[in-house]
Amino acid sequence: MNRYIQEANQQFISAYNRYPIILDHGEGMYLYDIDGKRYLDFGSGIGVCGLGYHDPNHTRMLQGQIEKLLHTSNLFYNVPAIEAAKQFNQAANMEQVFFTNSGAEAIEGAIKIAKKYHFLKYKNKNGEIIAMKKSFHGRSMGALSITGQEAYQEPFGPMLPHIKFAEFNDLESVKQLITENTCAIFLETVQGEGGIYPATDFFIKGVRQLCDEHKILMISDEIQCGMGRCGQMFAYQIYNIVPDIVVSAKGLGCGIPVGAIGTRGLATGILNAGDHGTTYGSNPLATAAVISVFNLYNQYRILSNVNAMTAYLDKELSELVLQKTVIKEVRGLGLMKGIELFAPATSYIKALQELGIIVIPSGTHVIRLLPPLIVQKEHIDMLVQALRKIL
Ligand SMILES: Cc1ncc(COP(=O)(O)O)c(C=O)c1O
């Protein structure tokens, strides 16, 4: 293990702080390292592996597509992409979709739609975007520019111009930033990297109303909180609103890199041929993964499991808060939970690893729980027992 880690540190650009664990394979809720140590996983590879690891049906679907056709380019059609588009649009209440390779890439496309929407309306390039403080939308330059956390941006300036930041969950602060040039409001329905903060009902409905009144595109980043994680397929459905654009990734492929930009209403028909593209987008393997995920979510009744397990986890965590003074607050929606501590989370996360449990941080003081959506009560019991011990 140590030899591999030394090699990794030499060979990789050191963009990541990795834990000294080398994962080898997975099965259901469990991951195994190269020495055979078993970990119960409450991280899902940062909200990706909703179906857990090595799901036999997901694997079979992917294997079938690998045998048939891996890539076509967007010069041609392929059936998996068309099927995946139908399923995505129906599940997200969208009209049209553009498939990408990652979340950040989908955010870039959504920014371009917002800019062109303004350009078509006013024939100028002054379109302004309102984004939220403490947000996170990815690491590419556009996504970074709408990420409301200076630490991520600082060494990479200048950022894109015409971007303003409002306070998340403060409707008045959004209102104050709106001008005749505002073309889009970006928000995560549940802020993930910023510390697990769900939007309030008042805020999200208020943003929807402001967007309707001013003909601004409401753009929901559901890259982390979507795909069933919060108890509906997309978290905005819990609030009974529909954005003009939804941006998805992570759980969409359950392990295969794929993202999506969904559009409806004012956002549909903005991009024309030649405006945007990506070689791998709509790739048959990636879109076969999307079809498989929607089908298996349905077959396994994933949303009912998420809702049942959320109720159980909420009950267990609310008891833990009362017992452990190091816990400041537990927040979140569905199976996206943040346990904020009065102390830095790192040593607790490492202590859980020693006990064979993987959780991930959000910021410095929050233990983030993003279990695979197939989690059962017995797994929650194991987690809570370990938390009780280490906290
Ligand atoms: C809310 C949100 N938006 C965007 C991204 C960027 O996605 P990706 O890492 O696939 O580029 C992330 C990644 O963590 C995210 O959580």
Side-chain angles (χ1 to χ4, degrees):
M1 189 102 94
N2 285 342
R3 182 172 57 83
Y4 274 131
I5 290 173
Q6 262 172 22
E7 279 175 357
N9 291 341
Q10 270 166 15
Q11 301 295 331
F12 291 143
I13 291 178
S14 47
Y16 298 109
N17 267 327
R18 293 184 171 88
Y19 299 110
I21 296 173
I22 305 180
L23 293 171
D24 181 66
H25 63 282
E27 200 62 52
M29 284 290 294
Y30 294 95
L31 285 163
Y32 297 80
D33 73 13
I34 56 170
D35 292 336
K37 178 170 172 177
R38 188 178 88 156
Y39 296 88
L40 174 64
D41 178 45
F42 270 77
S44 306
I46 323 188
V48 169
C49 305
L51 293 169
Y53 300 94
H54 196 215
D55 177 86
N57 293 315
H58 195 45
T59 305
R60 205 168 303 122
M61 175 80 169
L62 296 174
Q63 277 170 342
Q65 190 57 46
I66 287 171
E67 300 287 346
K68 247 174 122 177
L69 183 66
L70 278 179
H71 183 71
T72 58
S73 89
N74 284 300
L75 296 173
F76 305 95
Y77 294 96
N78 73 76
V79 173
I82 299 166
E83 270 306 312
K86 280 200 289 198
Q87 297 226 24
F88 180 87
N89 288 331
Q90 194 188 357
N93 315 107
M94 291 289 136
E95 292 164 356
Q96 295 192 329
V97 65
F98 180 99
F99 288 114
T100 67
N101 307 290
S102 70
E105 193 196 348
I107 292 283
E108 294 296 325
I111 294 174
K112 281 178 74 176
I113 294 174
K115 293 275 184 192
K116 187 164 174 205
Y117 169 71
H118 180 86
F119 183 78
L120 289 176
K121 209 154 89 179
Y122 296 109
K123 297 282 171 263
N124 70 44
K125 298 173 189 169
N126 301 332
E128 291 172 1
I129 289 171
I130 299 176
M132 301 299 142
K133 291 184 187 167
K134 290 194 177 165
S135 60
F136 183 85
H137 297 289
R139 305 290 192 148
S140 53
M141 287 307 292
L144 202 55
S145 298
I146 59 165
T147 287
Q149 302 191 57
E150 272 171 31
Y152 289 115
Q153 297 179 337
E154 180 144 34
F156 305 108
M159 296 287 116
L160 284 184
H162 307 314
I163 291 164
K164 298 169 172 177
F165 291 96
E167 292 290 339
F168 188 60
N169 280 339
D170 178 349
L171 196 59
E172 205 46 47
S173 83
V174 178
K175 265 186 208 164
Q176 280 167 11
L177 296 180
I178 293 177
T179 71
E180 77 239 27
N181 284 324
T182 307
C183 59
I185 301 179
F186 273 82
L187 59 108
E188 291 157 89
T189 317
V190 183
Q191 288 194 330
E193 303 298 312
I196 315 293
Y197 289 97
T200 62
D201 199 58
F202 177 78
F203 182 69
I204 207 157
K205 289 202 167 94
V207 170
R208 181 62 274 178
Q209 202 180 337
L210 284 175
C211 287
D212 288 339
E213 281 165 18
H214 297 271
K215 299 221 173 330
I216 295 168
L217 301 181
M218 177 176 184
I219 305 182
S220 293
D221 179 340
E222 293 251 346
I223 289 168
Q224 193 167 147
C225 62
M227 288 311 293
R229 177 144 304 276
C230 295
Q232 291 279 353
M233 195 59 85
F234 291 91
Y236 52 76
Q237 292 162 338
I238 296 167
Y239 299 82
N240 277 318
I241 62 114
V242 189
D244 301 293
I245 297 181
V246 60
V247 185
S248 176
K250 288 194 188 275
L252 185 60
C254 282
I256 294 291
V258 59
I261 311 160
T263 67
R264 66 181 269 277
L266 297 176
T268 291
I270 300 294
L271 293 183
N272 302 128
D275 277 338
H276 196 53
T278 175
T279 301
Y280 273 123
S282 299
N283 171 286
L285 179 63
T287 49
V290 173
I291 299 170
S292 169
V293 168
F294 281 120
N295 287 347
L296 294 177
Y297 270 35
N298 201 15
Q299 189 182 324
Y300 299 166
R301 302 195 196 297
I302 286 286
L303 295 181
S304 351
N305 190 56
V306 170
N307 288 310
M309 291 308 115
T310 297
Y312 189 65
L313 181 62
D314 283 349
K315 177 177 104 15
E316 293 294 307
L317 291 179
S318 62
E319 282 167 21
L320 198 70
V321 180
L322 299 177
Q323 291 159 4
K324 300 292 174 184
T325 52
V326 70
I327 301 180
K328 189 172 172 193
E329 190 184 34
V330 174
R331 323 180 265 273
L333 199 59
L335 294 180
M336 182 169 179
K337 288 280 183 287
I339 304 174
E340 183 168 357
L341 305 178
F342 283 108
T346 313
S347 57
Y348 295 98
I349 290 171
K350 288 187 177 156
L352 284 171
Q353 287 169 5
E354 297 277 311
L355 295 177
I357 296 188
I358 289 179
V359 296
I360 54 181
S362 172
T364 53
H365 284 54
V366 178
I367 294 177
R368 176 170 26 166
L369 307 178
L370 298 173
L373 308 181
I374 56 167
V375 67
Q376 297 294 307
K377 280 184 180 176
E378 74 207 61
H379 308 119
I380 294 175
D381 288 343
M382 285 162 76
L383 169 81
V384 171
Q385 225 173 53
L387 282 170
R388 196 165 282 135
K389 193 162 170 189
I390 58 115
L391 290 172

